[in-house]
Each structure stands twice: as C-alpha cells, then as structure tokens.
Amino acid sequence: MEKPEIWLSFAPELHLFVAAARRAGRSAVRTDGVSTLGHVVESLGVPLTEAGALLVGGRPVPVSHVPGDGDEVTVLAVPRPQPLPGPPRFLLDVHLGTLARRLRLLGVDAAYESVDIGDAALATRSAAEQRVMLSRDRGLLHRRELWAGAYVYSHRPPEQLRDVLSRFAPPLAPWTRCTACNGTLREAAKESVHEQLQDGTERAYDAFAQCTDCGQVYWRGAHHASLNAIVEESLREFGSPGPAEVLP
C-alpha cells in the first residue's frame, strides 16, 4: 500500500529551519499514515516552539492531527506578541549571557545557566519553573519537557533583545533587577553598603541599590550612560516602564 502524500507550505519566517527545496512554496512529503502533523513538521526541521497555527485545507488543526493523503498543509509562524499560559519568565542557556543581563536590566525575570548543564536539565528546569526556554540550539527546543521555548534568531545581543521583547512583550521595569543573579533590588543607604565601596565611589555617589539575593551593590557609575541607552531604546519601542525605578 502506497504511503500517503501530503503537501506542505512553510511561512517565510520558518525557512531558516527547512531544507532549501522546501522554501519556494508547497512541496510533497510522504508520511507513514500514523504520525501526527506535529511530528511531521518537526521531522522537517521546524521546532514546534516556532510553529504557529497548522492549517489543513485552510482550517486550523491541532498538532495531534494525523494528515491524510492529499492534505494541503500550511505551517504558520508564531504570532507576535505570542500569548503564554503564564507570566513571561525566561530561562537562557549558557550561550546567551549578554541577553540575560540586558533582560534583567529592563526588569525582566531571566534565569541564566552560566555553565552547560545539558539539554535535559534545562528542559526540566523550564518545566519546573514554568519558564520560556530561550536558545539558539534547535535540538534543545525539540524537547518535549519544555514548558515553552523560543529560538533566538540572531547572534547579536541588540537584535536578540529586540526579538525577545517583540515576541513576548514582557512588562518592563528598568533598574529593578540584579543583572548578576536576577534577584530584586532595593534602595540602600550609603552607610549600609560603605564596606563594599571604594573611597572614590563613596565620595562621588549618594544613591545606591542592593540586591536582596546576592548583596551586589549598584549605583549610577561610569557605565550608566551606555546602559541607559539600552533602556531608553527598549522603552521607546516596546512600552512604558512598570514599577518605579529603584535607583533615582
């Protein structure tokens, strides 16, 4: 008995993941007659984290749909902003440290693994903490354990940040989160943190914040202008700030 043949078309945003022969338009695929459409899409290279609606004959179907002979399938990209089943909280793999720090600068909850703990452990943490797994590792994004995931399309941190903010539209609360550990910041009197300050810093600055988790101390120092440029650009494009800034 001949295997069913279906016809697939992928949205332009998904062409990165599929073979060149499947980027020009509809292409034929032989299936085994029992695999789900979700499995077929993944077998062609597209993580389901990146696939939006699956259409058969123009009508949406679930990933569990088993395609039949002659089905015309369209795979759309995820919508932007993408709805999530919970708050937009993130987990980043070892290769995305700069992106993690920039998200934290904007007050976005971004957990980060600074060492390679392996795909299985990352997927497990994503599920346990209900965090969106951000990665450029396509294999990781195929793991079933993930609570949610997203491919980071660029290797450049500024573009990575815009990608995540446009896709998930997280609330922004600049200067309220520790860029080192992701903890929350609180205002700190100079007297309470003076032992962590060099003499020049203590003389030059009066406003300080401290992480409630790791104890890191922050002030508007020499790097503030470059960091503030990231904040201002993000607020201009992706929304107004949320809670009041900790550092005045």
Side-chain angles (χ1 to χ4, degrees), residues 12-59:
E13 298 91 333
L14 302 178
H15 288 177
L16 168 69
F17 303 103
V18 299
R22 300 194 183 280
R23 299 172 188 171
R26 62 197 288 269
S27 60
V29 177
R30 289 283 182 188
T31 72
D32 58 13
V34 295
S35 293
T36 66
L37 185 53
H39 176 80
V40 173
V41 169
E42 283 198 311
S43 72
L44 296 175
V46 180
L48 289 182
T49 61
E50 305 312 297
L54 304 179
L55 308 179
V56 174
R59 301 172 60 182

Side-chain angles (χ1 to χ4, degrees), residues 11 28 42 44-45 48 52 54 81 87 98 101 110 138 149 154 164 169 187 191 196 200 208 211-212 223 227 230 244:
E42 283 198 311
L44 296 175
L48 289 182
L54 304 179
T98 300
R101 289 187 290 273
R138 304 180 193 184
S154 175
V164 174
E187 293 184 30
E191 296 76 17
Q196 296 174 250
F208 297 90
C211 177
T212 58
H223 299 295
L227 296 177
I230 296 172

Side-chain angles (χ1 to χ4, degrees), residues 88-94 96 99-100 103-104 109-114 117-135 140-141 146-150 152 182:
R89 293 154 31 92
F90 302 97
L91 173 62
L92 292 80
D93 69 18
V94 67
L96 297 176
L99 175 59
L103 287 170
R104 292 169 178 176
D109 188 342
Y112 164 66
E113 291 291 350
S114 60
I117 63 173
D119 289 1
L122 285 169
T124 297
R125 183 175 180 187
S126 165
E129 300 180 12
Q130 296 188 336
R131 292 182 178 274
V132 180
M133 183 76 243
L134 299 180
S135 180
L140 171 57
L141 297 176
L146 291 174
W147 180 73
V152 177
N182 199 43

Side-chain angles (χ1 to χ4, degrees), residues 204-232:
Y205 301 97
D206 293 312
F208 297 90
Q210 187 171 30
C211 177
T212 58
D213 289 351
C214 73
Q216 175 78 31
V217 177
Y218 292 86
W219 60 93
R220 295 184 185 270
H223 299 295
H224 176 73
S226 60
L227 296 177
N228 194 57
I230 296 172
V231 169
E232 292 298 326

